[in-house]
Amino acid sequence: MPARRHQTLQGQTLGPVVPETGTTRGSRQRLPETGISRFDGRGRHRCPPSLLNSRGGSFTNYDYCMARGRRLNPLGPSTTLSMRVLVYGADAETALGRMCARGLESLGHDVAYVERNLRTFPLIGPLNLDEAHDRFETTATELDVDAVLVMKGYDVSQELLEQIRLSTDAVLCNWNPDNPYKIRSKERVATKYLDTLPAYDIVFTWGEFLLDRLRKDGADDVRYLPFAHDPQFHYPAKAHNEYDCEVAFLGHYSPKRERYLSALTDLDFQLRGNMWRWKCFDWSLRRCYYGAALGHPSYTRAMASTDIVVNVVADHNLPEHNMRTFEAPASGSLMVTTRSEGQQQYFPDKEACVMYDDPAELQDVVAQYLDDDEEREAIAARGREWVEGHTYEQRMAKLVNAVSEYK
């Protein structure tokens, strides 16, 4: 176990933080909410030369992001707090883990990113699982991180997490963007993932309705952390003729989505996403199909080039929200979305978005707001204004505050 680091406050050594009160979980001690953390303001971490690739600036198989800013210490304006964070997530540029890493960077923290990047084959599974886990553990140890954030975590074992805890004394966090009790809207439970919950210090979830159930399944500290948007990817982009239409839906196929979106086939409607070509048998809806899922910047342009973005929230997300709940309003277009309590608290119906209950109402409200340019644009503008208060930088600030309670 590495020696406990010391705080520095305006040049004065304070010694190790020892909590007077709080709960104890294994070797991890959670402090009362004093605002004090163990992060010592050591500044930017210089990567060990052995981890650099031949280009000298990027890592093999993972990215190490150097912090550009500084986070102010609430204990004093002249003091900064710095934290080294390792994020383990998907390799896509727009993956949730990447957006979290950028949010942490913008707060002034040093961030390393290990790509899960598993080569998975049907009936066989991932072939390079051990390689990914070795990179995960090695990076955490080499950089002596203060905190680890695992995105999803279906491939991570409790033993791997405990080994990282022993070698780094890091606070272990998990944020799963799925509902582990209803995988892909089916009654399938992610049992292996649930078995790892006791190994995490903090488990974050986007769904308030999941809090109690995750606690019952072994998570000691569960906290609500809703989705958000990344201003680097979600913004009112310049409209492009390729994506110009009245109504658009961007998302993969599901039977529920087919049932709802079939109500829009008489409109100027563009449908884009994976698996529609192979699974959708509504021929009128297939005529609205314009291609597979879009990456950045096409995804951003497509949302900004339509009058209305339709959001069909999957059953496993209800009664909460999904990621598109925040991404669509950020584009500047009107979001028409499934009615849910979770979305209502962020974007009230008829104020910052428009909600529907069934395919018939979806058809009606889309037609209504296509005919009313002034009201459509006014609601879209309020949605765009309100979403500015929900970024992944702000979400990561909440995560950092939670981690500081353990340091």
Side-chain angles (χ1 to χ4, degrees):
M1 182 79 66
R4 296 188 68 82
R5 292 182 281 269
H6 288 61
Q7 287 181 283
T8 57
L9 178 61
Q10 299 179 346
Q12 181 181 9
T13 300
L14 302 180
V17 176
V18 180
E20 297 178 358
T21 61
T23 60
T24 301
R25 179 171 176 266
S27 61
R28 177 72 57 205
Q29 292 177 313
R30 180 180 174 188
L31 297 178
E33 296 186 10
T34 60
I36 300 175
S37 80
R38 184 164 58 86
F39 310 139
D40 59 10
R42 290 167 293 180
R44 294 183 177 87
H45 174 67
R46 297 298 178 186
C47 172
S50 62
L51 295 180
L52 288 171
N53 67 12
S54 59
R55 295 188 297 275
S58 300
F59 292 92
T60 302
N61 296 321
Y62 67 93
D63 297 327
Y64 185 79
C65 309
M66 300 303 291
R68 294 290 186 264
R70 302 178 75 96
R71 182 168 68 90
L72 291 179
N73 183 348
L75 297 180
S78 62
T79 307
T80 59
L81 298 174
S82 176
M83 177 165 58
R84 296 174 186 167
V85 185
L86 171 61
V87 180
Y88 179 62
D91 57 340
E93 184 183 17
T94 55
L96 178 59
R98 292 283 188 187
M99 292 189 283
C100 291
R102 283 188 289 272
L104 287 163
E105 262 198 307
S106 63
L107 291 169
H109 302 291
D110 297 339
V111 183
Y113 196 97
V114 174
E115 298 175 351
R116 188 161 40 241
N117 196 21
L118 301 178
R119 296 190 297 272
T120 304
F121 295 88
L123 305 179
I124 299 176
L127 298 183
N128 60 332
L129 194 58
D130 290 341
E131 176 190 339
H133 291 170
D134 286 345
R135 285 188 283 111
F136 181 24
E137 183 178 352
T138 300
T139 306
T141 304
E142 289 273 3
L143 301 183
D144 189 21
V145 294
D146 297 296
V148 171
L149 175 59
V150 176
M151 310 306 300
K152 289 196 176 182
Y154 294 142
D155 63 295
V156 175
S157 68
Q158 187 167 352
E159 292 73 21
L160 175 60
L161 294 169
E162 292 296 350
Q163 183 58 43
I164 291 174
R165 182 197 303 282
L166 289 172
S167 60
T168 66
D169 195 30
V171 177
L172 303 181
C173 305
N174 174 260
W175 192 14
N176 188 351
D178 297 338
N179 178 347
Y181 302 102
K182 191 179 284 190
I183 303 299
R184 295 181 182 175
S185 294
K186 298 179 180 179
E187 298 299 329
R188 296 192 304 173
V189 178
T191 306
K192 291 184 179 179
Y193 163 77
L194 296 175
D195 288 342
T196 67
L197 293 181
Y200 291 104
D201 295 299
I202 311 173
V203 174
F204 295 96
T205 179
W206 49 270
E208 289 185 294
F209 70 104
L210 295 172
L211 292 170
D212 289 340
R213 195 165 181 183
L214 290 169
R215 292 187 185 104
K216 291 179 181 177
D217 279 323
D220 284 353
D221 188 356
V222 188
R223 307 196 186 197
Y224 175 63
L225 192 66
F227 295 128
H229 81 286
D230 185 341
Q232 180 174 330
F233 295 122
H234 312 124
Y235 55 88
K238 182 179 179 181
H240 280 240
N241 291 335
E242 179 182 359
Y243 308 114
D244 182 34
C245 61
E246 291 180 329
V247 188
F249 176 83
L250 308 175
H252 63 264
Y253 172 87
S254 77
K256 177 180 180 178
R257 288 172 172 175
E258 178 180 351
R259 188 170 68 254
Y260 277 74
L261 297 177
S262 293
L264 305 178
T265 54
D266 291 335
L267 302 172
D268 178 16
F269 175 45
Q270 289 192 10
L271 168 64
R272 300 176 188 272
N274 294 335
M275 302 308 295
W276 287 94
R277 176 174 292 180
W278 313 114
K279 293 188 175 183
C280 177
F281 294 100
D282 182 325
W283 295 103
S284 62
L285 187 56
R286 287 174 66 92
R287 286 196 295 268
C288 302
Y289 177 72
Y290 279 73
L294 298 173
H296 182 74
S298 298
Y299 177 83
T300 305
R301 292 169 179 167
M303 278 201 176
S305 300
T306 184
D307 294 323
I308 293 176
V309 176
V310 174
N311 183 21
V312 183
V313 180
D315 290 344
H316 58 259
N317 286 81
L318 294 175
E320 280 285 348
H321 60 280
N322 60 12
M323 295 178 70
R324 198 166 287 105
T325 298
F326 297 93
E327 295 169 359
S331 72
S333 297
L334 173 65
M335 178 176 69
V336 175
T337 186
T338 308
R339 191 179 309 280
S340 73
E341 296 174 6
Q343 294 182 111
Q344 179 69 21
Q345 66 176 309
Y346 298 111
F347 303 100
D349 186 23
K350 305 294 193 299
E351 293 186 52
C353 76
V354 176
M355 297 187 183
Y356 61 87
D357 285 309
D358 52 47
E361 187 177 10
L362 170 61
Q363 185 180 48
D364 290 343
V365 298
V366 166
Q368 174 187 343
Y369 286 97
L370 285 177
D371 289 340
D372 192 341
D373 294 348
E374 184 177 354
E375 185 64 14
R376 183 185 69 246
E377 292 171 3
I379 296 175
R382 285 193 292 271
R384 171 75 182 114
E385 179 184 355
W386 292 8
V387 80
E388 291 180 357
H390 303 284
T391 66
Y392 284 107
E393 177 180 338
Q394 292 163 325
R395 300 296 188 250
M396 290 302 98
K398 291 182 178 296
L399 182 143
V400 167
N401 288 337
V403 168
S404 69
E405 297 174 23
Y406 287 81
K407 303 302 281 186

